[in-house]
Amino acid sequence: MIMLIGGWATLHHVEELSDTFVQKSLKMKSKSKKSMDSDNIFERWNLNRIINVSGTMTSLGASRVLPKIRKDVDQILNSFVDIDQLQNEASRVIRKVIGSESGCITSSSSAGIVASIASFITQNNLDKIEKIPLENEKSKVVLQMGHQINYGAPVDQSIKLTGAKVQLIGSAAQCETYHLRNSLDQDVICGLYVISHHTVRENELPLDLFVNICHEQNVPVIVDMASEYDLTNPIKLGADLVIYSGHKFLSGVTSGIVAGKKQYIKNVHLQNRGIGRHMKVGKEGIAGAISALECWMTRDHEFEKNKETQIIKKWKNDLFDLQGIEISEHEDWTGNPITRLKIKIDPERCFANAWEISSRLKNLNPSIVVRDDLIENQEFFLDPCNINHDEIGLVSDSIIKVLNDFTNDPERKKETWSEVKSTREKNILSWGD
Ligand SMILES: *Cc1c(COP(=O)(O)O)cnc(C)c1O
């Protein structure tokens, strides 16, 4: 110990230093000089390598930003630009790519939802924009119960932040025309419609019907489809404002894209003088979103799809004869052109539950993060869309290794789903310890 911290502290000094300080110093000292000076931030900052087979998860950094987008962002980072002019250019590109009258960029989709809701409370009243959240304004937002999802935060919070009230309609797995029609009273400022794998799609109102009924009462409709490929249809169906994330399948930097009718977009943009300021988008976000939209037009989608098909084929080949698992191809829930590999676990034959397997994969180095939103059904998915060529084999090799490890330990006590659920809160709260 003394040798390690050599030259700059005696044993006496060490006793005076706090434990954590000593531990930290030792850790730093034991790292090679090379890693501390490294240009590689994964070495310098001691970050885990992650192989992302889960999809475009914002908690993992969403997606790989395309080289062209990184170049454009790099250029603007070293320059000054009139932000309104940059937003104007965003509007032009959004018009071209999405087919809406107008558009603007926000810091994220969630910020886009907040600004959109706020815009229907304030319109272009600058005083109201500065004062939001307002009390006693007409401010009800209609949302189907099955659309009350959590995408990292609950969607109704983006409504309530503006001071608006949430009017949930229907029930968890059923919404009918009369639920919507009866809810559209004088206090309603807009309807919010969510397209996502998180929603309960069973018996929901289809978007075209939702839009038509709202429009009968002159109620505008906001569509949150942050993670969907379909950039053009909702506008064609008459949606007034449509929101996408720039950092998901568009492979841009963190940003939100709001497309829609000109007057409404003008009012969304004005929110930057009020509530939008607290969720500000910078020049890098705006430029990154514009560039991502431009790239979307010229990307070879067929080539990308073929590449993903090859990856799935390779994984199928590698995994098909493993005992205790059943593999099948699975099309995306909301119709995005993504095929994932579904791995169904037989916990008796694998000597492990699906959540134990995914957790063991996550703890490997590099960490392998699978798509686990339905894991309590003893299944997880492999999503090929963020996988590099040199990671493909590592994913299947690691799954084989982890399954083997469990099979070789048949006496181990399995962790139940209730145990997983009951420790989740503690895990969330443990950051920073
Ligand atoms: C990801 C997501 C969001 C949040 O998007 P951000 O841009 O990360 O804020 C909102 N709604 C849906 C449906 C999403 O999938």
Side-chain angles (χ1 to χ4, degrees):
M1 183 173 172
I2 299 169
M3 271 180 52
L4 269 172
I5 53 176
W8 55 274
T10 63
L11 179 60
H12 177 69
H13 285 129
V14 171
E15 278 165 357
E16 283 175 4
L17 297 168
S18 77
D19 278 346
T20 47
F21 181 76
V22 171
Q23 278 160 13
K24 259 189 209 158
S25 309
L26 285 171
K27 221 182 193 172
M28 279 169 59
K29 276 274 162 179
S30 64
K31 268 199 205 172
S32 70
K33 180 150 169 37
K34 182 172 163 283
S35 79
M36 282 174 66
D37 294 343
S38 172
D39 277 344
N40 184 324
I41 54 170
F42 281 80
E43 284 180 15
R44 196 165 82 235
W45 297 339
N46 206 12
L47 302 173
N48 290 345
R49 291 278 171 182
I50 290 176
I51 296 179
N52 176 14
V53 246
S54 67
T56 50
M57 297 298 155
T58 57
S59 56
L60 298 177
S63 64
R64 283 180 207 282
V65 177
L66 294 170
K68 171 75 173 110
I69 303 171
R70 299 204 304 260
K71 234 166 131 182
D72 290 345
V73 170
D74 190 50
Q75 216 181 110
I76 208 135
L77 281 172
N78 194 30
S79 331
F80 297 96
V81 62
D82 181 323
I83 292 290
D84 281 347
Q85 191 179 32
L86 190 60
Q87 285 281 20
N88 233 334
E89 192 53 16
S91 181
R92 188 187 64 79
V93 175
I94 289 169
R95 217 158 47 226
K96 200 165 117 204
V97 181
I98 301 184
S100 57
E101 283 174 21
S102 181
C104 64
I105 306 299
T106 54
S107 62
S108 63
S109 282
S110 20
I113 301 170
V114 174
S116 298
I117 305 275
S119 77
F120 289 123
I121 298 173
T122 64
Q123 274 90 38
N124 63 356
N125 184 323
L126 296 175
D127 187 44
K128 283 187 182 176
I129 286 169
E130 286 185 9
K131 286 183 178 154
I132 221 167
L134 291 154
E135 272 164 35
N136 306 323
E137 280 295 310
K138 114 177 187 161
S139 64
K140 266 190 344 199
V141 178
V142 172
L143 179 70
Q144 296 181 69
M145 191 91 82
H147 288 192
Q148 164 48 1
I149 60 165
N150 184 317
Y151 44 67
V155 68
D156 67 335
Q157 189 168 41
S158 67
I159 300 171
K160 290 188 285 189
L161 266 175
T162 67
K165 290 172 197 68
V166 185
Q167 166 128 26
L168 292 175
I169 59 169
S171 46
Q174 186 172 31
C175 189
E176 299 297 332
T177 51
Y178 55 83
H179 292 129
L180 178 56
R181 212 170 258 124
N182 264 320
S183 72
L184 297 177
D185 61 25
Q186 283 307 308
D187 286 339
V188 172
I189 51 167
C190 63
L192 177 60
Y193 193 100
V194 183
I195 304 179
S196 162
H197 67 278
H198 292 299
T199 61
V200 184
R201 285 169 303 284
E202 196 179 341
N203 246 315
E204 68 180 354
L205 285 175
L207 179 60
D208 56 341
L209 194 53
F210 189 90
V211 168
N212 289 343
I213 293 173
C214 285
H215 284 182
E216 278 168 20
Q217 304 299 321
N218 295 319
V219 170
V221 174
I222 301 169
V223 184
D224 167 22
M225 47 194 306
S227 198
E228 303 303 301
Y229 280 62
D230 179 4
L231 292 177
T232 52
N233 252 321
I235 290 290
K236 285 191 194 130
L237 293 176
D240 297 275
L241 291 174
V242 184
I243 297 161
Y244 298 95
S245 293
H247 47 277
K248 293 182 178 171
F249 62 91
L250 281 165
S251 313
V253 300
T254 301
S255 52
I257 297 159
V258 188
K261 302 204 170 126
K262 187 172 166 184
Q263 189 54 51
Y264 293 150
I265 290 291
K266 285 177 71 139
N267 297 343
V268 171
H269 182 245
L270 285 174
Q271 302 305 318
N272 286 315
R273 311 178 72 87
I275 198 166
R277 184 63 176 81
H278 308 274
M279 37 196 91
K280 181 196 187 89
V281 61
K283 59 186 177 185
E284 65 283 5
I286 307 171
I290 299 174
S291 182
L293 285 166
E294 282 179 343
C295 285
W296 186 251
M297 297 296 276
T298 54
R299 277 163 74 170
D300 188 342
H301 296 281
E302 201 174 319
F303 176 82
E304 289 175 22
K305 179 71 192 167
N306 281 338
K307 199 186 98 193
E308 291 177 14
T309 307
Q310 293 306 314
I311 296 175
I312 293 284
K313 207 167 135 192
K314 155 94 172 124
W315 285 338
K316 267 176 98 167
N317 245 330
D318 291 350
L319 302 173
F320 83 97
D321 60 352
L322 292 180
Q323 76 148 348
I325 72 168
E326 203 179 289
I327 57 177
S328 54
E329 290 186 20
H330 190 271
E331 298 305 319
D332 181 69
W333 295 109
T334 56
N336 291 315
I338 311 168
T339 307
R340 303 186 177 97
L341 200 62
K342 174 168 141 180
I343 308 214
K344 178 94 187 163
I345 302 297
D346 177 344
E348 299 305 317
R349 293 176 63 211
C350 288
F351 299 99
N353 290 308
W355 44 92
E356 296 174 298
I357 294 166
S358 75
S359 162
R360 186 90 49 110
L361 285 165
K362 196 175 187 173
N363 288 332
L364 294 175
N365 184 15
S367 170
I368 301 200
V369 186
V370 300
R371 195 174 182 87
D372 65 354
D373 50 347
L374 295 174
I375 201 137
E376 71 262 44
N377 301 336
Q378 298 287 4
E379 63 196 34
F380 59 83
F381 297 82
L382 304 181
D383 185 316
C385 72
N386 283 307
I387 291 298
N388 263 352
H389 185 74
D390 54 354
E391 297 172 338
I392 305 171
L394 200 52
V395 171
S396 39
D397 288 351
S398 303
I399 292 174
I400 294 168
K401 183 192 171 303
V402 163
L403 285 170
N404 264 330
D405 288 350
F406 279 118
T407 320
N408 291 332
D409 189 10
E411 301 306 322
R412 191 188 59 93
K413 191 177 168 302
K414 283 190 227 142
E415 186 185 29
T416 67
W417 182 242
S418 292
E419 283 164 347
V420 173
K421 282 293 254 192
S422 67
T423 51
R424 199 166 269 182
E425 183 180 354
K426 195 171 130 250
N427 291 338
I428 294 168
L429 296 175
S430 72
W431 183 87
D433 288 347

